Amino acid sequence: MRKELLDLKKEMVIRGVDRSTYAIDPLPLYEGFCIYDARSIIEVFYFERGHRFELQSFEDVQEAIKYFKGMVFNEK
C-alpha cells in the first residue's frame, strides 16, 4: 500500500471517523466510501450492494485523497 494511503488510515483513526463508514484499499464489507489503489490510478467512490457509485479516477494520489476526504467529511 502506498505511504500516502497508510498516512490517510492513521489520520482517519485520529479524527475519530467510524471505521465502518469507509475503506482504504480493500472494498468495504457492506457500504461506504472507498479509496482504492488500482496501481496505475487511484479510484474514489461510494460502494453499496456490490456497486461503485460516483466513481472518480486520479493519477495523483494527493488529489484522490483530497477528493476522498471531501466525500467523507461532507457527509458527517
Side-chain angles (χ1 to χ4, degrees), residues 38-74:
R39 303 291 180 235
S40 61
I41 59 171
I42 305 292
E43 296 179 337
V44 179
F45 52 90
Y46 186 79
F47 186 79
E48 183 177 356
R49 297 182 182 167
H51 298 284
R52 297 174 186 197
F53 297 96
E54 302 178 38
L55 175 63
Q56 296 291 318
S57 299
F58 300 87
E59 291 181 7
D60 183 286
V61 70
Q62 293 301 333
E63 286 181 34
I65 289 171
K66 181 178 177 180
Y67 186 82
F68 176 78
K69 286 180 182 179
M71 289 180 73
V72 171
F73 296 116
N74 283 337

Side-chain angles (χ1 to χ4, degrees), residues 1-9 24 61-62 65:
M1 181 181 299
R2 297 177 193 225
K3 180 190 180 313
E4 296 92 345
L5 296 180
L6 289 172
D7 292 343
L8 177 59
K9 277 187 172 189
I24 298 174
V61 70
Q62 293 301 333
I65 289 171

